[in-house]
Amino acid sequence: MKDKALIKGWTLVVSSFAVVFAFSTVDHAISPLVEWLQEFFGVAAVNILWLISSCTAGIVVGLFVGPQFIKSVRISRAVWLSLLMMAGGVWAFVATPSFALSLAVRFVFGLGAGLFSTVLWWLAYESIDRRFYTPMITVLTAARPMAVAAGVPLVMYGGQYISWRWSFAALGVITVLFCLAFLWASPTDNAVKHPFTPKALLQRYRAAWNTPRLKTFFSAMFINRLCYFGFYSMLGLWFIGYYDLKTVEIARPLMAIGICETLINFVVPFLLKVGAKKLFYVSVLGNAAAFAVFAWGVLPLWWAIVFIGLFAMTDRIYNMLLLLFIPKVFDSSKDRTTIGSLVTLVSWAALMAVSWLEGALLNVVGLNGTAAFLLVALIAGTALYIKVLKRTVFAGAAA
């Protein structure tokens, strides 16, 4: 029995990683593939960014209804539904040349991804064997940057030699296989279920909204994440506009940046020895400084990549710290699944907003104007974070 529990535990961790890796690759590949997608759909390059915002809108809706939805149906049914939407969504996306239809299909794909993300928060905070808690948190933080480091470049190289459409279809197959493995290993969901109603959904979030400091903390998160996600949304156009790179040429910088962001996840526990407060301040200051240096496209290409790597790493450091701070920031909250889901929901809401704005306004304000807006958002969001942390985690803490 112990061996079987061990096998199921690691199956859950590996399957969770694979599914998040697959849907993150599908999402993050849009910006670097902007030239190919523009040709395929026959629309302006900046409008391709709306494929990001439509998917993200689905993720936001999935994350919003997810906590209440899994209180109403068995987890296995939620996983089956998310599997159908993710796999069906990616296969439908590669099958249609209609841009309008693709926006709708991407929304469905995102809805499935958001629902699956809620299931992962349920698993991590409420159901998984404690032996696998740390690996699961690592999965939730490391799978997305791994998708940038490995998944997106593989799609780009695959697109060069076979077709980006076949590469995306393969990610749909990976999603199916590992969702099935997840279903096999998932803990039994014996919780009493309640009918899903709009009233119950709103009551859940009304209760969360009344949690002390929640409004300020998540406002800070939304504003702060505009910079990080805004840069990744326009990354393809940024490399094309400032450095005249072709689609496949963007793969190597992405690999370097993604590797930096992935490795830092495993280094943070050692960096914590210098003190969480000091590490937080160093990382947020370094993050803003790195962005201010590279954002204008004036550095030589590989120096720009170095500073983008520093930007990604410092972002990962302070955002991992914020995950660790959340229990103390919201020490009065009893609904950890909703709080955890809000982290992802608010982050993706920022991505949805900024990718839509960039798709609409980049041709008007240009790359430099957009970079200036993102830098202001980064600084403003960080200032709000510090306001909350000074009253909670850092209250009485040594420097």
Side-chain angles (χ1 to χ4, degrees):
M1 290 297 291
K2 287 184 178 181
D3 289 342
K4 187 175 182 180
L6 194 65
I7 291 170
K8 284 195 169 187
W10 283 115
T11 299
L12 284 171
V13 171
V14 173
S15 299
S16 299
F17 174 84
V19 176
V20 176
F21 177 87
F23 76 63
S24 295
T25 297
V26 170
D27 198 45
H28 286 287
I30 297 299
S31 180
L33 298 185
V34 62
E35 283 187 316
W36 292 348
L37 294 171
Q38 175 192 11
E39 181 179 352
F40 180 72
F41 289 112
V43 298
V46 293
N47 294 150
I48 294 298
L49 301 187
W50 289 342
L51 291 170
I52 301 174
S53 55
S54 64
C55 177
T56 309
I59 293 174
V60 168
V61 173
L63 288 165
F64 181 74
V65 303
Q68 183 60 33
F69 186 75
I70 63 175
K71 299 294 183 183
S72 304
V73 303
R74 299 294 173 204
I75 290 297
S76 59
R77 292 186 180 182
V79 175
W80 274 113
L81 182 59
S82 62
L83 164 59
L84 290 172
M85 289 190 289
M86 286 190 291
V90 72
W91 290 331
F93 176 68
V94 301
T96 176
S98 166
F99 186 67
L101 183 56
S102 291
L103 291 173
V105 165
R106 288 274 297 173
F107 177 85
V108 173
F109 172 83
L111 189 61
L115 183 56
F116 191 80
S117 294
T118 303
V119 171
L120 293 184
W121 285 112
W122 165 83
L123 183 68
Y125 282 149
E126 298 187 23
S127 304
I128 201 166
D129 188 306
R130 291 299 92 185
R131 291 176 295 176
F132 300 101
Y133 173 75
T134 300
M136 272 301 300
I137 293 298
T138 302
V139 161
L140 293 173
T141 56
R144 192 207 58 78
M146 276 292 289
V148 175
V152 175
L154 284 172
V155 168
M156 298 172 80
Y157 286 125
Q160 179 74 6
Y161 296 109
I162 50 174
S163 165
W164 67 265
R165 298 165 76 186
W166 282 110
S167 299
F168 271 43
L171 291 166
V173 173
I174 291 172
T175 301
V176 170
L177 294 176
F178 283 97
C179 275
L180 293 176
F182 184 94
L183 283 164
W184 172 77
S186 183
T188 303
D189 180 15
N190 292 321
V192 176
K193 300 300 177 181
H194 305 280
F196 182 89
T197 64
K199 181 179 180 180
L201 176 64
L202 293 176
Q203 283 178 339
R204 174 175 291 273
Y205 282 100
R206 189 179 295 117
W209 191 248
N210 291 327
T211 303
R213 298 176 292 274
L214 184 135
K215 301 178 188 68
T216 306
F217 184 87
F218 282 105
S219 295
M221 181 173 290
F222 179 86
I223 297 168
N224 176 273
R225 302 313 283 157
L226 290 174
C227 180
Y228 176 86
F229 283 124
F231 175 71
Y232 270 99
S233 294
M234 68 173 185
L235 181 142
L237 293 171
W238 190 86
F239 274 119
I240 293 167
Y242 283 132
Y243 296 100
D244 199 28
L245 297 187
K246 301 300 181 184
T247 297
V248 175
E249 293 173 331
I250 298 173
R252 288 178 67 189
L254 274 180
M255 289 176 67
I257 297 163
I259 288 170
C260 290
E261 193 171 356
T262 301
L263 292 179
I264 199 66
N265 287 280
F266 303 98
V267 178
V268 170
F270 300 99
L271 296 178
L272 279 169
K273 293 179 180 178
V274 306
K277 181 178 178 180
K278 183 181 295 184
L279 183 60
F280 180 83
Y281 279 116
V282 169
S283 60
V284 294
L285 289 172
N287 190 244
F291 185 81
V293 169
F294 78 77
W296 322 105
V298 296
L299 297 176
L301 176 60
W302 281 102
W303 272 113
I305 293 169
V306 168
F307 278 96
I308 296 171
L310 288 172
F311 170 73
M313 286 191 292
T314 50
D315 176 272
R316 184 54 41 197
I317 290 170
Y318 76 79
N319 278 283
M320 284 190 71
L321 288 172
L322 289 167
L323 286 178
L324 296 175
F325 294 159
I326 278 177
K328 191 168 183 179
V329 173
F330 303 111
D331 53 2
S332 62
S333 174
K334 305 298 181 185
D335 189 354
R336 291 174 294 177
T337 299
T338 300
I339 294 292
S341 193
L342 274 171
V343 172
T344 314
L345 191 156
V346 171
S347 296
W348 289 103
L351 172 57
M352 176 183 67
V354 76
S355 57
W356 184 86
L357 283 171
E358 288 175 347
L361 300 176
L362 252 173
N363 278 344
V364 178
V365 301
L367 290 170
N368 281 347
T370 304
F373 166 74
L374 298 181
L375 181 59
V376 170
L378 176 61
I379 294 170
T382 300
L384 279 177
Y385 272 141
I386 292 172
K387 178 181 178 181
V388 175
L389 295 176
K390 280 185 172 180
R391 298 175 180 177
T392 55
V393 182
F394 298 160

